[in-house]
Amino acid sequence: MECKVAVISGDGIGPEIVREAKKVMDAVAEKYGHSIIYTDVLMGGASIDVHGIPLTDQAVADCQAADAVLMGSIGGNTSTSPWYQLPADRRPEAGLLKLRKSLCLFANLRPASLYQELKKACPLKDEVIKDGFDLMIMRELTGGLYFGERKTVEENGVWKAYDTLTYDENEIRRIAKRGFEIAKKRRKKVTSVDKANVLDSSRLWRKVVEEVAKEYPDVVLEHMLVDNCAMQLVKDPGQFDVILTENMFGDILSDEASMITGSIGMLPSASLNDTKFGLYEPSGGSAPDIAGQNIANPIATILSAAMMFRFSFDLDQEADAIERAVQQVLTEGYRTGDILSEGCKQVSTSQMGDLIAERI
Ligand code: IPM
Ligand code: MG
């Protein structure tokens, strides 16, 4: 099979982690007889430095022309980087939001599970971890607060800022359907997370999710308020199967979920639309403080590449091979610094990539 992949290395640790994911993808292509054609695309700070804006129309077109996009991370230090002196719509993050919206990537899948090998890196106590956990955060990605109308105005000498949280029933319905579809193939439970005790958008969310649930009688639906969910994630993470939630709540809960897997460097993600096309990126950020030191954990990016093989190319065997290789390297005791525990062997970003690629 010939696969066209647009590659956004981005900023901070982005280029380092993407390099390792490509290494692993090339090993897969070689073993299973595929060819991968990469096209580099600039986004975020890397694009601002060249074009003055975080995402050009050409960059969007280059992504559209590919079968899938592999992305590292974008953004820099928000207090010191000159990128953050620019107006908000020209900062690095605006590029990512524009890309998500332009490609209609409304469904963001963020799987968080605990490898037994990483139990010691998990900050939770053994009696909380019990047999571990394996959950999927299904985050709505093109609506809500991220895309609502916003403005900052001065009224009678007082500055005032507005951000609006809007959802229509169609936006809720399509993400809910995706959530139930995924749950059907897993442990058949959806926890829909909202703030229906306060927000109108959440009350509509709940109503539409309940309607959709009727089409999936074999899937159990429960509702949970977002503050309670934040607590339950560290109290009893094993209770969750699919967490279905809106954009902002999903952003926050997925960082929390990543930490209980041991590190944010372990959490992959796929952003999908209604076709096979997808954007694959680690859930973590650009970590400018450790950029360029060859110490970042590339596993989330490598696991995101596995999701690309599975969802965009329908190559399950290849995706399994990547996930198995990651598992094997962890079983053999290799760790980057963020997931290091006693008795394990510390390796760099590039060594981790080599080790995983060799085991394909
Ligand atoms: C994420 C990131 C982004 C988000 C930022 C970089 C805009 O935190 O993918 O979770 O908030 O969606
Ligand atoms: Mg985030």
Side-chain angles (χ1 to χ4, degrees), residues 10-260:
D11 311 317
I13 58 170
E16 298 162 67
I17 54 181
V18 162
R19 197 174 305 130
E20 301 318 308
K22 281 170 73 181
K23 215 182 252 176
V24 175
M25 289 168 72
D26 288 338
V28 168
E30 185 171 341
K31 171 153 184 199
Y32 294 91
H34 305 299
S35 78
I36 306 178
I37 302 161
Y38 301 103
T39 312
D40 285 317
V41 174
L42 290 181
M43 189 169 87
S47 172
I48 295 174
D49 290 346
V50 176
H51 300 294
I53 50 172
L55 187 72
T56 61
D57 291 341
Q58 184 59 48
V60 175
D62 288 345
C63 290
Q64 250 157 349
D67 302 314
V69 183
L70 174 69
M71 191 194 130
S73 52
I74 48 117
N77 184 316
T78 49
S79 356
T80 57
S81 164
W83 298 329
Y84 295 92
Q85 304 299 319
L86 295 166
D89 61 343
R90 283 176 46 205
R91 293 181 193 171
E93 287 74 9
L96 177 58
L97 299 190
K98 179 179 166 189
L99 188 64
R100 286 175 178 167
K101 195 72 172 177
S102 313
L103 303 175
C104 200
L105 303 171
F106 66 87
N108 184 212
L109 281 67
R110 297 189 160 179
S113 60
L114 183 66
Y115 289 88
Q116 285 309 307
E117 290 82 358
L118 295 189
K119 255 187 154 175
K120 279 196 215 139
C122 172
L124 304 178
K125 291 189 190 129
D126 279 349
E127 57 264 38
V128 175
I129 303 174
K130 288 180 244 166
D131 299 330
F133 54 87
D134 173 11
L135 60 94
M136 174 72 86
I137 297 185
M138 177 61 100
R139 169 188 177 195
E140 200 290 327
L141 202 60
T142 52
L145 268 179
Y146 277 60
F147 294 95
E149 207 184 308
R150 68 176 100 257
K151 62 179 176 188
T152 306
V153 290
E154 200 178 351
E155 279 173 14
N156 307 321
V158 179
W159 283 102
K160 202 166 173 177
Y162 299 77
D163 293 282
T164 30
L165 202 180
T166 315
Y167 271 107
D168 72 37
E169 59 177 305
N170 298 327
E171 290 174 303
I172 301 169
R173 196 168 291 115
R174 68 181 177 184
I175 188 74
K177 281 192 171 164
R178 279 293 177 91
F180 280 92
E181 288 294 332
I182 295 269
K184 236 168 84 172
K185 297 188 195 132
R186 295 173 46 100
R187 299 192 310 278
K188 301 190 171 48
K189 179 177 172 190
V190 169
T191 305
S192 175
V193 175
D194 61 38
K195 188 71 185 173
N197 53 347
V198 177
L199 303 176
D200 259 23
S201 56
S202 283
R203 287 187 270 271
L204 181 63
W205 180 278
R206 211 174 256 222
K207 180 169 171 278
V208 175
V209 170
E210 273 171 8
E211 280 165 24
V212 171
K214 292 195 186 111
E215 297 163 35
Y216 299 88
D218 51 335
V219 178
V220 176
L221 168 67
E222 66 171 15
H223 299 285
M224 192 177 278
L225 297 174
V226 62
D227 46 353
N228 184 27
C229 182
M231 179 179 79
Q232 295 296 334
L233 269 172
V234 289
K235 192 171 169 238
D236 178 18
Q239 71 183 286
F240 295 108
D241 181 14
V242 173
I243 293 179
L244 171 67
T245 193
E246 62 93 54
N247 205 344
M248 178 82 149
F249 298 159
D251 178 45
I252 298 169
L253 294 174
S254 60
D255 267 31
E256 188 186 6
S258 75
M259 204 49 228
I260 59 172

